[in-house]
Amino acid sequence: MTPQKNIVWLASYPKSGNTWVRIFLANYFANEDKPLSINDAGRFGFGDSAASMYRKVAGGPIDPNNKRQILALRPHLLKAIASNGASVNFIKTHNVDSQVFGVDLIPPQPTRTAIYIVRNPLDVALSFARHFAMSHDAAVETMGRSNYVTESNAKQVTEYRASWSDHVTSWTQEKRFPVVLLRYEDMLHDPVKAFEGMLTRAALPVDRARIEKAVRFSSFEEVSKQEKEGGFKETSEVADQFFTFGTSGQWQTELAPELVEKVRKQHRKMMKKHGYLE
């Protein structure tokens, strides 16, 4: 089939609320009478770093450590997804919107729109440290690195994340396709309003009753209960749990003052632009 502009990117820097958005959308489009299993949310979208998808498009074995091989396969993978006949294909990504070795990580040709979730980097640092079992110092240092990429393995190919500021800038400035900006803090404050606005601006179907139901079914209380009862497949191997607090502002009591100042110094421009600095 001919590729269509049907990819909707669900993009964010890690630990910014991407999983919440995906679980909301899964419940919204499933429209069931009870919450979907958090481990079934993946049925309503793809992740762009799963090694299994690259093996499928390659038609055989791949070397996840061979970055050029994986990047050469990426356009074919996205073309295959865009040619699957679906009206919308949600793709989760933590990649920066940039080129690597001449390959466009987020090409405009198959892209319909993007939903970009942004969160205060001071809170991101705390969640990042918990998820990856690193110190607060190490998390802040990692988030400030423009050359930050992940290690590949049998399950995941390399992700090109860059620094928090680089990531936010790449997705929110001078766009080649529509981008819907969604702040994590607004999701917390009024999730129904935030998600209704997200769907409207992304030109997706809007049904207020279904939104309210999907918000309940994707609430922190619901997803954390499910994780405690049956686990969550996206939980890091080095973390005890994925869903920990579901709040904002914890940095005020948990992040050392010198690290707060370091984050503000490193990311001042983007923090101010998105309402995280006066």
Side-chain angles (χ1 to χ4, degrees), residues 23-40:
I23 292 175
F24 164 81
L25 287 169
N27 278 284
Y28 180 72
F29 285 106
N31 196 27
E32 301 285 355
D33 294 328
K34 62 180 182 180
L36 284 181
S37 165
I38 54 177
N39 289 310
D40 286 340

PDB file of all heavy atoms in Angstrom, residues 23-40:
ATOM      1  N   ILE A  23      -1.514   5.459  27.911  1.00  0.00           N
ATOM      2  CA  ILE A  23      -2.549   4.678  28.598  1.00  0.00           C
ATOM      3  C   ILE A  23      -3.903   5.375  28.484  1.00  0.00           C
ATOM      4  O   ILE A  23      -4.944   4.730  28.302  1.00  0.00           O
ATOM      5  CB  ILE A  23      -2.153   4.430  30.068  1.00  0.00           C
ATOM      6  CG1 ILE A  23      -0.942   3.497  30.126  1.00  0.00           C
ATOM      7  CG2 ILE A  23      -3.314   3.827  30.849  1.00  0.00           C
ATOM      8  CD1 ILE A  23      -0.386   3.284  31.519  1.00  0.00           C
ATOM      9  N   PHE A  24      -3.902   6.709  28.554  1.00  0.00           N
ATOM     10  CA  PHE A  24      -5.147   7.447  28.334  1.00  0.00           C
ATOM     11  C   PHE A  24      -5.700   7.162  26.938  1.00  0.00           C
ATOM     12  O   PHE A  24      -6.881   6.838  26.774  1.00  0.00           O
ATOM     13  CB  PHE A  24      -4.930   8.956  28.500  1.00  0.00           C
ATOM     14  CG  PHE A  24      -6.053   9.772  27.927  1.00  0.00           C
ATOM     15  CD1 PHE A  24      -7.222   9.966  28.648  1.00  0.00           C
ATOM     16  CD2 PHE A  24      -5.965  10.305  26.644  1.00  0.00           C
ATOM     17  CE1 PHE A  24      -8.284  10.683  28.098  1.00  0.00           C
ATOM     18  CE2 PHE A  24      -7.021  11.024  26.089  1.00  0.00           C
ATOM     19  CZ  PHE A  24      -8.181  11.217  26.816  1.00  0.00           C
ATOM     20  N   LEU A  25      -4.851   7.304  25.914  1.00  0.00           N
ATOM     21  CA  LEU A  25      -5.310   7.099  24.541  1.00  0.00           C
ATOM     22  C   LEU A  25      -5.803   5.674  24.322  1.00  0.00           C
ATOM     23  O   LEU A  25      -6.797   5.457  23.620  1.00  0.00           O
ATOM     24  CB  LEU A  25      -4.179   7.418  23.564  1.00  0.00           C
ATOM     25  CG  LEU A  25      -3.847   8.913  23.396  1.00  0.00           C
ATOM     26  CD1 LEU A  25      -2.550   9.082  22.610  1.00  0.00           C
ATOM     27  CD2 LEU A  25      -4.985   9.646  22.702  1.00  0.00           C
ATOM     28  N   ALA A  26      -5.126   4.706  24.913  1.00  0.00           N
ATOM     29  CA  ALA A  26      -5.552   3.313  24.766  1.00  0.00           C
ATOM     30  C   ALA A  26      -6.953   3.123  25.343  1.00  0.00           C
ATOM     31  O   ALA A  26      -7.825   2.492  24.718  1.00  0.00           O
ATOM     32  CB  ALA A  26      -4.563   2.388  25.453  1.00  0.00           C
ATOM     33  N   ASN A  27      -7.191   3.669  26.524  1.00  0.00           N
ATOM     34  CA  ASN A  27      -8.523   3.563  27.137  1.00  0.00           C
ATOM     35  C   ASN A  27      -9.561   4.368  26.364  1.00  0.00           C
ATOM     36  O   ASN A  27     -10.708   3.943  26.226  1.00  0.00           O
ATOM     37  CB  ASN A  27      -8.461   4.035  28.596  1.00  0.00           C
ATOM     38  CG  ASN A  27      -7.965   2.964  29.546  1.00  0.00           C
ATOM     39  OD1 ASN A  27      -8.690   2.039  29.899  1.00  0.00           O
ATOM     40  ND2 ASN A  27      -6.703   3.084  29.943  1.00  0.00           N
ATOM     41  N   TYR A  28      -9.143   5.505  25.838  1.00  0.00           N
ATOM     42  CA  TYR A  28     -10.081   6.359  25.091  1.00  0.00           C
ATOM     43  C   TYR A  28     -10.555   5.675  23.816  1.00  0.00           C
ATOM     44  O   TYR A  28     -11.766   5.635  23.529  1.00  0.00           O
ATOM     45  CB  TYR A  28      -9.391   7.686  24.754  1.00  0.00           C
ATOM     46  CG  TYR A  28     -10.257   8.657  23.996  1.00  0.00           C
ATOM     47  CD1 TYR A  28     -11.320   9.314  24.616  1.00  0.00           C
ATOM     48  CD2 TYR A  28     -10.011   8.928  22.653  1.00  0.00           C
ATOM     49  CE1 TYR A  28     -12.109  10.214  23.910  1.00  0.00           C
ATOM     50  CE2 TYR A  28     -10.798   9.826  21.942  1.00  0.00           C
ATOM     51  CZ  TYR A  28     -11.851  10.464  22.577  1.00  0.00           C
ATOM     52  OH  TYR A  28     -12.640  11.356  21.881  1.00  0.00           O
ATOM     53  N   PHE A  29      -9.638   5.113  23.066  1.00  0.00           N
ATOM     54  CA  PHE A  29     -10.029   4.501  21.799  1.00  0.00           C
ATOM     55  C   PHE A  29     -10.608   3.096  21.980  1.00  0.00           C
ATOM     56  O   PHE A  29     -11.420   2.654  21.175  1.00  0.00           O
ATOM     57  CB  PHE A  29      -8.844   4.492  20.831  1.00  0.00           C
ATOM     58  CG  PHE A  29      -8.558   5.841  20.246  1.00  0.00           C
ATOM     59  CD1 PHE A  29      -7.459   6.578  20.658  1.00  0.00           C
ATOM     60  CD2 PHE A  29      -9.412   6.395  19.310  1.00  0.00           C
ATOM     61  CE1 PHE A  29      -7.211   7.844  20.139  1.00  0.00           C
ATOM     62  CE2 PHE A  29      -9.174   7.656  18.779  1.00  0.00           C
ATOM     63  CZ  PHE A  29      -8.076   8.386  19.195  1.00  0.00           C
ATOM     64  N   ALA A  30     -10.225   2.400  23.038  1.00  0.00           N
ATOM     65  CA  ALA A  30     -10.821   1.084  23.314  1.00  0.00           C
ATOM     66  C   ALA A  30     -12.275   1.249  23.763  1.00  0.00           C
ATOM     67  O   ALA A  30     -13.147   0.446  23.414  1.00  0.00           O
ATOM     68  CB  ALA A  30     -10.026   0.353  24.372  1.00  0.00           C
ATOM     69  N   ASN A  31     -12.520   2.298  24.572  1.00  0.00           N
ATOM     70  CA  ASN A  31     -13.873   2.627  25.026  1.00  0.00           C
ATOM     71  C   ASN A  31     -14.565   1.431  25.678  1.00  0.00           C
ATOM     72  O   ASN A  31     -15.733   1.133  25.391  1.00  0.00           O
ATOM     73  CB  ASN A  31     -14.714   3.155  23.856  1.00  0.00           C
ATOM     74  CG  ASN A  31     -15.971   3.867  24.324  1.00  0.00           C
ATOM     75  OD1 ASN A  31     -16.011   4.406  25.436  1.00  0.00           O
ATOM     76  ND2 ASN A  31     -16.995   3.873  23.491  1.00  0.00           N
ATOM     77  N   GLU A  32     -13.839   0.759  26.562  1.00  0.00           N
ATOM     78  CA  GLU A  32     -14.400  -0.391  27.272  1.00  0.00           C
ATOM     79  C   GLU A  32     -15.133   0.061  28.538  1.00  0.00           C
ATOM     80  O   GLU A  32     -15.075   1.230  28.927  1.00  0.00           O
ATOM     81  CB  GLU A  32     -13.277  -1.370  27.645  1.00  0.00           C
ATOM     82  CG  GLU A  32     -12.485  -1.891  26.457  1.00  0.00           C
ATOM     83  CD  GLU A  32     -13.245  -2.931  25.646  1.00  0.00           C
ATOM     84  OE1 GLU A  32     -14.346  -3.316  26.067  1.00  0.00           O
ATOM     85  OE2 GLU A  32     -12.732  -3.335  24.583  1.00  0.00           O
ATOM     86  N   ASP A  33     -15.799  -0.895  29.181  1.00  0.00           N
ATOM     87  CA  ASP A  33     -16.530  -0.587  30.415  1.00  0.00           C
ATOM     88  C   ASP A  33     -15.662  -0.708  31.655  1.00  0.00           C
ATOM     89  O   ASP A  33     -16.116  -0.421  32.771  1.00  0.00           O
ATOM     90  CB  ASP A  33     -17.743  -1.523  30.559  1.00  0.00           C
ATOM     91  CG  ASP A  33     -18.775  -1.268  29.469  1.00  0.00           C
ATOM     92  OD1 ASP A  33     -18.900  -0.104  29.026  1.00  0.00           O
ATOM     93  OD2 ASP A  33     -19.443  -2.235  29.055  1.00  0.00           O
ATOM     94  N   LYS A  34     -14.432  -1.154  31.489  1.00  0.00           N
ATOM     95  CA  LYS A  34     -13.498  -1.241  32.611  1.00  0.00           C
ATOM     96  C   LYS A  34     -12.102  -0.876  32.098  1.00  0.00           C
ATOM     97  O   LYS A  34     -11.842  -0.937  30.884  1.00  0.00           O
ATOM     98  CB  LYS A  34     -13.491  -2.640  33.211  1.00  0.00           C
ATOM     99  CG  LYS A  34     -13.041  -3.734  32.265  1.00  0.00           C
ATOM    100  CD  LYS A  34     -13.065  -5.088  32.958  1.00  0.00           C
ATOM    101  CE  LYS A  34     -12.556  -6.193  32.003  1.00  0.00           C
ATOM    102  NZ  LYS A  34     -12.562  -7.519  32.668  1.00  0.00           N
ATOM    103  N   PRO A  35     -11.204  -0.493  32.997  1.00  0.00           N
ATOM    104  CA  PRO A  35      -9.870  -0.078  32.545  1.00  0.00           C
ATOM    105  C   PRO A  35      -9.141  -1.192  31.811  1.00  0.00           C
ATOM    106  O   PRO A  35      -9.211  -2.362  32.192  1.00  0.00           O
ATOM    107  CB  PRO A  35      -9.146   0.276  33.857  1.00  0.00           C
ATOM    108  CG  PRO A  35     -10.243   0.569  34.830  1.00  0.00           C
ATOM    109  CD  PRO A  35     -11.375  -0.348  34.459  1.00  0.00           C
ATOM    110  N   LEU A  36      -8.445  -0.808  30.736  1.00  0.00           N
ATOM    111  CA  LEU A  36      -7.567  -1.759  30.066  1.00  0.00           C
ATOM    112  C   LEU A  36      -6.403  -2.106  30.979  1.00  0.00           C
ATOM    113  O   LEU A  36      -5.989  -1.300  31.810  1.00  0.00           O
ATOM    114  CB  LEU A  36      -6.995  -1.144  28.791  1.00  0.00           C
ATOM    115  CG  LEU A  36      -7.851  -1.020  27.545  1.00  0.00           C
ATOM    116  CD1 LEU A  36      -7.014  -0.396  26.434  1.00  0.00           C
ATOM    117  CD2 LEU A  36      -8.364  -2.372  27.106  1.00  0.00           C
ATOM    118  N   SER A  37      -5.857  -3.285  30.793  1.00  0.00           N
ATOM    119  CA  SER A  37      -4.623  -3.625  31.482  1.00  0.00           C
ATOM    120  C   SER A  37      -3.531  -2.661  31.016  1.00  0.00           C
ATOM    121  O   SER A  37      -3.422  -2.369  29.821  1.00  0.00           O
ATOM    122  CB  SER A  37      -4.207  -5.063  31.172  1.00  0.00           C
ATOM    123  OG  SER A  37      -2.860  -5.280  31.553  1.00  0.00           O
ATOM    124  N   ILE A  38      -2.735  -2.174  31.949  1.00  0.00           N
ATOM    125  CA  ILE A  38      -1.643  -1.270  31.567  1.00  0.00           C
ATOM    126  C   ILE A  38      -0.662  -1.967  30.633  1.00  0.00           C
ATOM    127  O   ILE A  38       0.044  -1.313  29.865  1.00  0.00           O
ATOM    128  CB  ILE A  38      -0.906  -0.724  32.807  1.00  0.00           C
ATOM    129  CG1 ILE A  38      -0.419  -1.861  33.713  1.00  0.00           C
ATOM    130  CG2 ILE A  38      -1.778   0.250  33.567  1.00  0.00           C
ATOM    131  CD1 ILE A  38       0.387  -1.385  34.913  1.00  0.00           C
ATOM    132  N   ASN A  39      -0.632  -3.284  30.658  1.00  0.00           N
ATOM    133  CA  ASN A  39       0.274  -4.021  29.776  1.00  0.00           C
ATOM    134  C   ASN A  39      -0.305  -4.241  28.383  1.00  0.00           C
ATOM    135  O   ASN A  39       0.357  -4.826  27.523  1.00  0.00           O
ATOM    136  CB  ASN A  39       0.647  -5.367  30.418  1.00  0.00           C
ATOM    137  CG  ASN A  39       1.563  -5.190  31.608  1.00  0.00           C
ATOM    138  OD1 ASN A  39       2.574  -4.507  31.523  1.00  0.00           O
ATOM    139  ND2 ASN A  39       1.207  -5.784  32.737  1.00  0.00           N
ATOM    140  N   ASP A  40      -1.541  -3.769  28.172  1.00  0.00           N
ATOM    141  CA  ASP A  40      -2.153  -3.873  26.851  1.00  0.00           C
ATOM    142  C   ASP A  40      -2.155  -2.548  26.103  1.00  0.00           C
ATOM    143  O   ASP A  40      -2.616  -2.467  24.962  1.00  0.00           O
ATOM    144  CB  ASP A  40      -3.607  -4.365  26.964  1.00  0.00           C
ATOM    145  CG  ASP A  40      -3.685  -5.849  27.291  1.00  0.00           C
ATOM    146  OD1 ASP A  40      -2.684  -6.556  27.064  1.00  0.00           O
ATOM    147  OD2 ASP A  40      -4.735  -6.290  27.784  1.00  0.00           O
TER     148      ASP A  40
END
